[in-house]
Amino acid sequence: MDEKDWEAMQVLYEEKNISRASERLYISQPALTYRLKNLEKDMGTKLFFKTKKGIELTSEGIYLAQYADEMITKLQNAKDYIQNMNQEVQGILRLGVSSNFAQYKLPALLKEFITAHPKVQFSVNTGWSADVMGLLNSSEVHLGILRGDYNWTGSKSLLHTEQLFLISKNEVNMEEVPELPFINYKTDSSLKDIINKWWHDQYNEPPIITMETDRQETCKEMVKNDLGIAILPEICLRPSDEIHKYPLFYKDGEPVMRDTWLMYNQEFLKLSTVQKFVDFLKNHPSLLSEV
């Protein structure tokens, strides 16, 4: 069983479909089927079976897929350490990053870092912070940048903090906010909790939700067209938006803030690339200025 077999089992376990698995592996369906049959022959047991929806792995197949996942991780870690043994800043840096930070902050940061260290390559996974947490826990990434406070047993440092704002096309009276159409958007539970906490601190009645959008940028465009109000983190707002922005405070005067955390396993700091990028983030003026 070699690295290609590990990858085939890993992807097959995730997709449960030969066609989609072959597309992800960039090989033909017959070639993948042939590889899997040879793998079954080598193992001396059935690894998967067909269903109406695709395929399912047998107990032996599931065990082998989990073994393959473990071996791929070990091989990647070995490559990382070998590339960093001479302490030159090079190799692949694997990041898990929350979508908002990835959209508004990460591109410029990566560009600056790569300019200074051209031998570094990035593998970036973006998504909900909860998904990034999963990547951290499984050691699929060296570093995680998450929004919201998650429990983590490794190293954790506050990277960035920002205030939440109520936004509207026209001026509003904050006492009349519960009477205005409110535009919601899909987001992670940590941000929802912060918004709900502020709302319950201020008002006795729930918001009048008139729209549910898929993302914050869509929500902001609706507000810009005077279709309602919304609450967004500062990271999403730009002077060019031409909207009214009202910073949120609790009744006791405390600002409504959202934190962004840098998380990683201390062991990965042995990699010069990881250490250099951690130092870069912790000392970057565009982040420090807003903490």
Side-chain angles (χ1 to χ4, degrees):
M1 191 175 185
D2 59 23
E3 185 179 356
K4 290 184 178 179
D5 291 327
W6 299 341
E7 291 176 351
M9 287 302 300
Q10 183 187 52
V11 172
L12 194 67
Y13 179 66
E14 293 172 356
E15 295 291 347
K16 304 292 193 299
N17 182 283
I18 291 288
S19 177
R20 291 196 299 269
S22 64
E23 288 178 2
R24 279 184 56 183
L25 293 165
Y26 296 101
I27 61 175
S28 67
Q29 291 186 43
L32 177 57
T33 301
Y34 179 77
R35 175 172 287 278
L36 293 171
K37 286 183 177 179
N38 279 341
L39 191 54
E40 284 186 324
K41 184 177 179 181
D42 291 342
M43 294 296 163
T45 187
K46 194 77 172 174
L47 298 177
F48 63 95
F49 56 91
K50 293 182 179 179
T51 68
K52 290 182 179 179
K53 294 183 178 180
I55 63 167
E56 289 290 339
L57 273 66
T58 63
S59 297
E60 294 84 354
I62 292 173
Y63 177 85
L64 194 62
Q66 292 171 342
Y67 168 83
D69 188 63
E70 181 181 340
M71 295 305 296
I72 289 172
T73 299
K74 287 183 176 180
L75 179 61
Q76 184 59 62
N77 287 341
K79 289 180 179 179
D80 291 340
Y81 282 104
I82 289 171
Q83 288 177 339
N84 282 266
M85 286 179 72
N86 61 5
Q87 294 302 303
E88 185 177 1
V89 183
Q90 64 175 336
I92 298 176
L93 187 57
R94 302 193 303 279
L95 307 177
V97 187
S98 73
S99 297
N100 264 4
F101 193 92
Q103 179 175 355
Y104 297 106
K105 290 286 186 181
L106 189 64
L109 292 170
L110 296 188
K111 176 63 176 178
E112 182 179 338
F113 190 82
I114 289 175
T115 300
H117 307 286
K119 291 186 177 181
V120 174
Q121 295 178 304
F122 286 95
S123 173
V124 181
N125 281 280
T126 68
W128 301 119
S129 290
D131 296 330
V132 175
M133 197 71 235
L135 296 173
L136 272 173
N137 285 323
S138 61
S139 295
E140 293 182 50
V141 294
H142 295 128
L143 304 170
I145 299 176
L146 300 82
R147 293 165 65 74
D149 195 2
Y150 289 82
N151 291 325
W152 170 243
T153 57
S155 296
K156 175 180 176 180
S157 61
L158 183 61
L159 186 63
H160 176 76
T161 190
E162 65 196 291
Q163 193 164 9
L164 268 61
F165 284 75
L166 184 141
I167 62 171
S168 63
K169 177 63 176 177
N170 301 304
E171 290 187 18
V172 300
N173 183 330
M174 292 300 287
E175 294 182 359
E176 299 174 354
V177 163
E179 303 170 14
L180 301 176
F182 191 89
I183 303 173
N184 242 345
Y185 50 86
K186 291 181 180 178
T187 186
D188 60 75
S189 59
S190 64
L191 180 55
K192 287 181 180 179
D193 290 343
I194 295 173
I195 294 174
N196 288 336
K197 179 182 176 182
W198 174 81
W199 189 278
H200 292 309
D201 180 72
Q202 298 290 319
Y203 309 113
N204 293 321
E205 57 267 48
I208 303 173
I209 299 174
T210 57
M211 291 189 188
E212 294 276 358
T213 62
D214 61 335
R215 41 197 298 271
Q216 292 174 344
E217 279 298 317
T218 305
C219 174
K220 188 169 69 173
E221 289 302 314
M222 296 297 182
V223 173
K224 288 164 68 174
N225 283 276
D226 200 19
L227 296 171
I229 61 171
I231 294 175
L232 289 173
E234 187 176 10
I235 196 172
C236 306
L237 305 177
R238 296 287 183 271
S240 59
D241 290 330
E242 296 183 352
I243 52 179
H244 291 274
K245 299 179 287 186
Y246 301 87
L248 300 188
F249 296 87
Y250 295 109
K251 284 182 178 178
D252 63 5
E254 181 184 352
V256 182
M257 309 296 289
R258 193 180 194 206
D259 297 332
T260 298
W261 295 88
L262 174 63
M263 301 183 188
Y264 51 91
N265 190 317
Q266 191 73 22
E267 184 72 15
F268 284 138
L269 292 184
K270 294 179 181 178
L271 304 175
S272 59
T273 305
V274 175
Q275 178 69 69
K276 185 68 71 172
F277 193 67
V278 167
D279 293 340
F280 169 78
L281 290 178
K282 286 183 176 181
N283 296 288
H284 200 278
S286 73
L287 301 176
L288 291 175
S289 62
E290 299 180 45
V291 173

